[in-house]
Each structure stands twice: as C-alpha cells, then as structure tokens.
Amino acid sequence: VIFGVDKNPMAVELAKVALWLHTFTVGAPLSFLDHHLKCGDSLHGEKLESVRKGMQELGVMFQDAELARLDLAAKSLDQVAELTDTSIAEAQESKSLADQAAAQVEPIHALLSFWRALRWLVPGWPTNRLPKIKDETQRAAIAELFSGRYNLAAVAASGTVDGDTPAIAALNVLLGEARTLAARETFFHWWTAFPTVWRYGSEADGGFDAVIGNPPWDLLQMQEVEWFAERKPEIARQARAADRKALIAREQKRKTALWTDFVMASKRSDQEQRVVRESEDFPLLAEGRSNLAKLFVERSIALAKPNGMIALLTPSGIAADKGASEFFRSITSPPAMDMFSDGRTRLAALYDFENRKIFFPDIHASFKFCAFIFGGELRRFDSARCAFFLHSTDELSNPDRVLMLGADDFKRVNPNTGAAPIFKTRRDAELTTRIYSENPIFVRHELDTKGRFIGERKVWPVRYLQGSFNMTSDSGKFMTRAELQKDGWTSTALNRWQRVAEGKTEEAVPLYVGRMVNIYDHRASSVTVNEENVHNAALSSTISDHEKADASVFPIPQYWVRVEDVPEPVRRPWVLSFRDIARSTDVRTCISAFVPNTANGNKLPMLIQDRQGPEMLATQWPLLQANLAAIAFDFVTRQKIQSTAMNWFIVEQLPVIAPERFEATFISLASGASSDSTRTGKTKAKPNDESIADFIRAEVLALTYTAHDMAPFARDMGYVDAAGKVLPPFVWDADDRAHRMARLDAIFMSLYGLNENDAKYVLSTFPIVKRQDEAAYGRYRTQDLILGYMQLLATGALTHTNSSQT
C-alpha cells in the first residue's frame, strides 16, 4: 500500500533499504519494490487527458489504442501485488512483470515528457495558435510536428524523424533538446506511472487515500547570494548588490566557466518559475517567490482521493503568508457557493513548531514549520486541532495548548486573509477575540458575493509605502562614508553631507534601515558591517543612553543617498515608520517611530497620507504612533506573526483605536475603567479633564523630540516659543521615558478594554522585557509602572508628572 517518489536516486534507494529492514523475513529474498518507489520530479509531470486535449486543439488525435498499454501495465502490476516474494523465483518474476509494465507505458511517458519539455522550451505552451510562438525555428518545428504526418507518441519515443527539409531539421533539434531536458529534470507522470492507483489513466477516478511527506522548503527562485557563496564567496560577500553585480559582470567579460554555469542556472530557474506559473498544476500557490513546499501542497491535493487525507511538514507560512491566503482560506473556510460547503472546514490539524535547533539542527533556530493536516476536496471536519509555538510533541497533550478552531474563528481574527492566528494558550485566544470584537481593524477589505476584492475601509486615512529605496535594486544610488569623502563631499549638520558640483549644491541624507530604529527612538543604533557574513553583513551598534543625552548625536548609517534621488512623494521632514523584520518571540514585535529625512530602506516601511481619504492633521500622527507602540497592540500583533516579517497585510488586519475615541477626557475614560482597579495612593489626586488626545500628543512629543534632526516634527506639533522658534529638544532620560511609555501603555490597556488582571497576563507574555527589568532593577518594573498608572487612570487623575506609585 506504500508508494513513494523522490528526485534524488539515493533517497529512493534508502527508502527501499528502510522498507527491506522493516519487513525482512529470515530465509526469504528481498522484496521487489521498484514498481512502488520511483525516482522523478514530483512537481513536473503531465496528465494524459490534458495532453490529449492539447493535441486535439492542434488538430492531432491521440491514438486511443495506446490506452490499452495502461490496461496491460495495470494487469502486470496486479500480478506483482499478488506475489509474496518469498522465493528468489517470485522476486525475479515480480521484476519481470514490472519491467513489462514499464515497457508498455514507455511510449506514453515519452509523449508526456516531450509535452512537459515543450512547456519549458516554448513560452506560453500549449497553444493552438502557432503565430504566438516567437522563435521562428521553434514555430517551424512545431508546425511540422503537428502537420498530421506523425504519430506523436512514436516520435517522442524515438526522438527523431527522417527527412532533410529545414522544418524536419528544426524538429529534430527540438526533439533532442526536449529529450535532454526531460532526462535532466526527470519529469514524473503520476497518473500513468502508477496505473493501479489511477486505473487505465483516468485521473478523475483514482488517487491515494493518504499523501504524506516532508517536501523541500527551498525557494523556487534561484538565490544569487547562496549560489555564489558555494562557488566564489568573494562575490557573495559584497554587502551592496550593485557591487555584487559589478563582480558578476567581470566574470561575464572574462567568459569564465563560473559565468557560464551561472547563466545556465539562472535560465533553468527562470524556465521553471514560468512553467509553474503558466501550467494549471498550481493555480493558487505559484505566484511570487513561491516556496517549493507550497507547490507540493497543491500537488498533494491533486494526488489524493476526494475523501483522502494529506499530511505534510511545511514552513508555517502556508497558514500565514499573504501569497497563501486564498489557498488557506479555501481549506479553512470553503466558499459558500461550494456545493459541498456546510460551514465546516477541511483543516484537520495545524501543529506549529519553533525549530529551536531541536528538530532540524541545520535550520535556523527561529524558523517555524508546521504539521499541516487536511482533507481532500470532499473531506470535512467540525473544527481543527491547532497548537502554535510548540517545542515538543509532548506539548500536544496539554489541553491549554491545543485549541479547537472552526471556520468562523479564522475569519474573525484575520478577516481579510483568513490566515491562522497563533494563539499559544486559551487565554491568548480569549483576550484576542475579545479585543477584535470591540475594535475595528486598521483596513478592512470589502468583497463581493463571490469573494472578490472590491474596495477597502480604513479607520485611519493612511497608506503604506515599502520604504523609499529597495536595498537590492536601488543599491547603485547608495554611498558609503568613504565614497563620500573620496568624491569631495563634506559632512554637515544633522547627519548630512554636501558638495558643490558644477555650481550646484548637492545634499545627501542618511538612509535609515530597520535596525537603526526602536520604539519612539530614531537613534537606537548605528550600522556596522561584517563583510564575512554573506547573508547579513550589516550589524547594529547600540547608541548608549549617555550618548543620546547629547541632542547632536545621530546614528551612523551604512549608506547615504542624494536628496534628489529620494522619490518626490516621500520628501518629507519626518515620517512614521515601522520595522519590517519582526518576531513574536523578540523583546517587542511591532517597533515603530518617527524618523527624519524619509530616506528609508524597504525593511523600514512608512505610513503616509492616503490620497483618497480625508486629510490627516500633523497632530493626529502621534495618536497613531502611540497606538502602534502600545504593549496591548503588540500583544495582538504577536498572535499574527508567523515568520520574521511585519508585512502590511498583517498590519492592516490588526485592531486599532478609532480616532474619535481619543477626543474623550480622562474623567470619561475613568468611568469605564476596570471595576477591580483600586486606589493605592496615600492622597487623592485631582481628576484630569484633559482630552486623551492632548495627553498622548504631549507624551509622544517628549519621547520623539530628543535630537535636533526631529525639530521639524516639534514645529508641526506646535512646540515653539512666542516668536515661533522651535524650543530645544527634550533631554534623553531613560527613567523619565520609562514613566512616559508606561502612562501611554496604561491608557491603551484601558482603551482596549483590558482590566488589571488582563494587563498582568498580557505583560506576562513579554518574558524578555521581564528578564531585562529583573536584571536591571530586581523587579518587573515595566509591569509595576503600567499597573500603577492604570490605578491612577481609574480615578481619572492621570497626569504628565505624577508617579505611578502615588
């Protein structure tokens, strides 16, 4: 009952050995397994019915007599199944019968492999319109082949045709290229390779009861840095993509063997990506930088019976990535128009593991993968067993870790994509779903009755930009300090450079990247470079609190860019940005701050005014920044981050506080504060009738304006003297900042409807913050401050100056 396919011949042989060892009987020969364990590319193969249809559209009929070959092959393999291989004679007979079956289907497989090879060699294949084929030689060869003079199966099997016309010569060249490619790629045609599973080649009537596997997790797209790292590390170690391209161009100029291999590898990668996109084999998961594991998921569906089961180990992105959202939604929440839909789910279980070097030592510790178990097209379950961030399979026996989630649960927490949340515990699920039920999401997608996108509804009138510069494709515009000095630039105020060229003054501004920024802090780190690290040469060099006390200290970037190269729409004195690289296990996950100059790399995306919505006043931006920086918001964010990217599709599905709620006063907010809040102070404080919005603006201003390069932000916030001159920056004081951030966190705990017990639990889910506090202060100071300010807030007496302990 076991069948298996692998592209690596050694893997196939090892599988045979494993089965032999498991089933070995003393005194009996080794069983014949070649007809069940085969070598080939599981992803690239053709269905006979699809090829027959394509041939008919080109005016060529498939010889139906060939179908008898499948019948004969199936009967031979049926006989093999009846043999026990308990004697050498029986084992030899099994091999003989299997060889007969392979010989019967060889012409059919030759035709299918030729058809698959045409997909690689002829862009847009199959087509019944020859003029669409741009290559004249290919067009002549295919016109000859489909002229009606040939039996395609026979021609594909022989690999040549007789004749000396130019068209026949072109055809023979094409046949030779196709045979070479098919042999290299080892195309595997499941539906005819196992004729006992799909009887007589009927793809619709057959399939496996269960498809199980651990497919490769590599990206389909060739990874240039990794490719050169194995062959010429000097090229891979270039921190700037433009420098790497220059060294590759040098290889091209010299016509080296490395360049030839690189071109061939690139061509093969491009061909395969095109075939994957153009074929109908992977309708939902082939777009973008597709992971091979995603393609195996779709292939598995095609191989399983409608009532069958599929169980695969894949990266956890299958349940969280935007590119997989349509597919995952089809599994968790089959569309209402589906005739088999009954409100249940095809997902049986999703067990999400954090590698931690426990399971796969050669894979990064923070990499996450899952056991993804679901049913065929007709299989349904009332709910799915889900568990996240597991470090051992033993944790599956903990009832607090395993949740039963139905189709509605996926829709509620990720309404736009239907992706899986990553609740670690039942309490996480309860708090998160409660927050979602009481607050709007940042951007809600509106769909028509067929599930198609027709628009969006935004709580805040902002739009997302993936930085102003792509760190790879725009790297030719980047300048290092050494290059600036060499080219006659002079360092000037506010971390900028200038030079006069041809009577014109040029200015260069620092290129901000994610590692330079922390919460309310655009001066978190400078960038240093380790050229030996081919994967991540840039490193962080933390700027100390003592250094930040000087408002003239700025982070040193890796690069600067000319102001004229900054796209016009983002030439702004300051902008709200957040780090793209984020993990739910880090100190904090959503890290946002206002940054100056707006020259941002693509890993530091920005939010700017939406051209379609109402104007967002400068004084409204601090409210949004405070929301993004709140621990309560971060708690929910951690339920959504599966990988290491804070993608926009994740951010836009997060619950935010609506702008109008900030116009309330502290007195009114206190009236809705948690009933279990108690007053711990020795004296009663006077209630604060200030608006929440004004309070937040003042705190965000003090947290942000700590250096001279943020003076434009202070001016826009109205922080000026009577003459309109911007006042000096706030002095960086770590203790003062801790109190200001705690006051803001207390406000957002209340706005999100969390009481003190809820807040204690939320804060317990930030173990690194707790560990750092205990090391520095001997207690979890962050928690103490926030809970203390929540108690003050409950009385309406929260002010900018009071202590959380009064």
Side-chain angles (χ1 to χ4, degrees), residues 239 513 515-516 525-531 533 536-542 555-559:
V513 295
R515 67 178 63 254
M516 297 169 67
S525 301
S526 293
V527 180
T528 58
V529 177
N530 176 12
E531 295 181 353
N533 189 332
N536 191 6
L539 301 173
S540 302
S541 177
T542 303
I556 305 303
Q558 186 176 5
Y559 304 113

Side-chain angles (χ1 to χ4, degrees), residues 249-528:
R250 188 170 68 181
E251 298 289 331
Q252 179 183 10
K253 186 176 181 179
R254 295 175 179 175
K255 294 182 172 58
T256 63
L258 180 68
W259 165 251
T260 301
D261 291 345
F262 175 66
V263 171
M264 292 181 62
S266 299
K267 180 180 179 181
R268 185 205 169 276
S269 175
D270 292 343
Q271 285 179 319
E272 183 173 24
Q273 289 180 78
R274 177 177 50 76
V275 170
V276 164
R277 289 193 302 268
E278 291 179 352
S279 72
E280 298 178 353
D281 298 337
F282 314 102
L284 297 178
L285 294 173
E287 291 301 319
R289 292 163 56 86
S290 185
N291 189 295
L292 283 174
K294 292 181 181 178
L295 304 183
F296 273 91
V297 170
E298 283 208 87
R299 173 60 92 211
S300 299
I301 294 174
L303 300 177
K305 289 181 178 178
N307 279 308
M309 289 293 295
I310 299 159
L312 303 172
L313 290 183
T314 79
S316 295
I318 191 67
D321 291 349
K322 185 177 182 180
S325 62
E326 184 178 357
F327 163 78
F328 190 72
R329 190 164 51 237
S330 73
I331 297 297
T332 58
S333 307
M337 66 190 71
D338 187 338
M339 62 181 294
F340 305 108
S341 177
D342 54 5
R344 299 193 296 165
T345 176
R346 287 172 59 187
L347 184 65
L350 180 68
Y351 300 137
D352 168 72
F353 294 87
E354 189 178 20
N355 188 38
R356 291 275 184 102
K357 299 286 184 179
I358 298 170
F359 304 96
F360 303 104
D362 294 332
I363 302 298
H364 194 281
S366 65
F367 192 87
K368 295 174 79 265
F369 67 94
C370 65
F372 183 41
I373 306 162
F374 62 102
E377 293 181 353
L378 303 184
R379 196 71 177 263
R380 295 290 186 273
F381 305 91
D382 291 329
S383 58
R385 286 174 54 87
C386 298
F388 303 92
F389 273 97
L390 298 170
H391 298 140
S392 166
T393 54
D394 293 341
E395 293 180 85
L396 291 171
S397 61
N398 182 348
D400 192 49
R401 295 301 311 274
V402 180
L403 309 172
M404 301 303 295
L405 300 179
D408 290 340
D409 295 310
F410 293 101
K411 293 178 185 177
R412 183 179 301 112
V413 179
N414 285 308
N416 295 343
T417 63
I422 51 173
F423 302 135
K424 294 182 182 179
T425 67
R426 295 185 184 279
R427 187 74 186 277
D428 289 347
E430 183 270 324
L431 283 178
T432 303
T433 53
R434 191 212 307 169
I435 288 173
Y436 267 94
S437 68
E438 297 174 358
N439 297 278
I441 64 170
F442 208 144
V443 182
R444 181 175 291 276
H445 292 181
E446 296 179 331
L447 309 176
D448 62 15
T449 55
K450 295 183 178 180
R452 295 174 299 197
F453 176 80
I454 57 174
E456 56 188 20
R457 191 166 63 252
K458 297 181 178 180
V459 176
W460 292 87
V462 300
R463 64 188 176 102
Y464 167 87
L465 284 182
Q466 193 180 31
S468 43
F469 293 94
N470 183 285
M471 296 302 289
T472 301
S473 59
D474 290 328
S475 61
K477 301 173 182 177
F478 303 164
M479 299 175 289
T480 65
R481 173 185 287 270
E483 290 169 337
L484 288 165
Q485 292 172 335
K486 179 182 177 181
D487 293 339
W489 292 78
T490 302
S491 178
T492 63
L494 304 180
N495 211 11
R496 302 185 177 206
W497 292 72
Q498 286 185 349
R499 76 172 178 181
V500 178
E502 299 179 356
K504 176 184 175 183
T505 300
E506 294 182 295
E507 188 173 36
V509 296
L511 176 64
Y512 273 82
V513 295
R515 67 178 63 254
M516 297 169 67
V517 172
N518 209 328
I519 297 173
Y520 293 114
D521 183 10
H522 70 287
R523 301 188 296 160
S525 301
S526 293
V527 180
T528 58

Side-chain angles (χ1 to χ4, degrees), residues 602-641:
N602 57 286
K603 293 302 180 182
L604 187 63
M606 58 184 74
L607 299 177
I608 65 172
Q609 172 71 48
D610 184 5
R611 291 172 299 202
Q612 306 300 320
E615 181 182 359
M616 188 163 167
L617 301 176
T619 52
Q620 289 182 290
W621 287 98
L623 308 179
L624 179 56
Q625 156 60 5
N627 199 157
L628 298 181
I631 284 180
F633 179 84
D634 212 348
F635 168 76
V636 179
T637 303
R638 287 171 177 246
Q639 318 303 318
K640 318 295 279 299
I641 299 287

Side-chain angles (χ1 to χ4, degrees), residues 145-183:
L145 180 63
F146 291 96
S147 63
R149 295 192 288 271
Y150 304 100
N151 180 325
L152 262 62
V155 169
S158 66
T160 184
V161 296
D162 295 328
D164 56 3
T165 67
I168 291 178
L171 175 56
N172 282 327
V173 169
L174 183 64
L175 288 168
E177 290 178 344
R179 285 172 68 88
T180 300
L181 192 150

